[in-house]
Amino acid sequence: MTMTTSIAQLRNDVDGSDARDAWSAHWSAGKQQTLSQRFFSFYRKAVFARTVKYFFDKYFPEKGIFVEAGSGTAETSMRIDKRGGSRKLVAADIVQPVLKQCHPVMDERVCSDIFSLPFADNSIDGIWNVGVMEHFTQEEIDMIMREFYRVIKPGHRIILLIPGADSPPQKILRVMEKIINARNKGKEFRFHPPEISQMRSKRAGGEMLQRNGFQFVHYDYGFRSLLAFKTLVAVKTQ
């Protein structure tokens, strides 16, 4: 699907080849057919999709252009109510092949580096993602947040779902990884690429938003995602 100029102006180049290679491997057909990844796909559809729908309806306007920045397959967006077409959904991801597998709820798909989104300043009505920010350092997160700030319209919001450092499901996954790696004694096994910046507290989330120009709106401790992910909601005030 080709992005229309009214929604975005694509760059001729997409940076971040190392990240693209890592995520291409993660989203490869072989990897996604494993038992563990099938389970995560089920979880995204059954749990996270309901969570995203709730926050999307509560904090985003009834119409406009909305970008999932780091969409993957966009399975977590499949339940979004597009209000009869008044809400246009854009899937943005660095991995071109995964965009071809993207859920049909998405109206547009664009291969893009999250650090340099192909959208004009103050042009987007809402940005969200699920399980993206934790894969970056704090410095990189600040760079991403500044890019979100650039493209989001004043008075509009972002919604970020980030694994909590105290998340019981996350702790279980780490234990399982240790057990598997102890038995394999070979290449390190991970269910996902490293999650180096999990959400540690409401205060830490608020500080991250504030230093990048956003005003804190809401913090959810993870009850809607079965204690897996925290949710941050913030608004661009200027």
Side-chain angles (χ1 to χ4, degrees), residues 4-73:
T4 61
T5 55
S6 62
I7 296 179
Q9 297 177 350
L10 290 178
R11 295 182 300 152
N12 291 325
D13 63 317
V14 178
D15 301 326
S17 58
D18 290 343
R20 190 185 309 111
D21 290 345
W23 283 104
S24 294
H26 176 74
W27 288 116
S28 66
K31 174 88 173 195
Q32 292 305 306
Q33 288 304 310
T34 62
L35 183 61
S36 61
Q37 293 305 316
R38 288 183 186 181
F39 170 77
F40 293 134
S41 176
F42 168 78
Y43 199 94
R44 288 192 292 268
K45 295 174 182 176
V47 177
F48 286 138
R50 297 179 188 277
T51 306
V52 168
K53 172 179 168 52
Y54 172 82
F55 287 108
F56 200 106
D57 284 343
K58 186 173 179 66
Y59 292 105
F60 282 168
E62 295 292 303
K63 62 181 180 179
I65 299 169
F66 305 91
V67 177
E68 183 172 9
S71 65
T73 58

Side-chain angles (χ1 to χ4, degrees), residues 174-189:
R174 301 293 82 80
V175 171
M176 293 176 65
E177 287 173 344
K178 288 182 179 179
I179 293 173
I180 292 171
N181 285 320
R183 297 185 64 180
N184 284 347
K185 297 181 180 180
K187 184 178 180 180
E188 184 180 19
F189 171 83

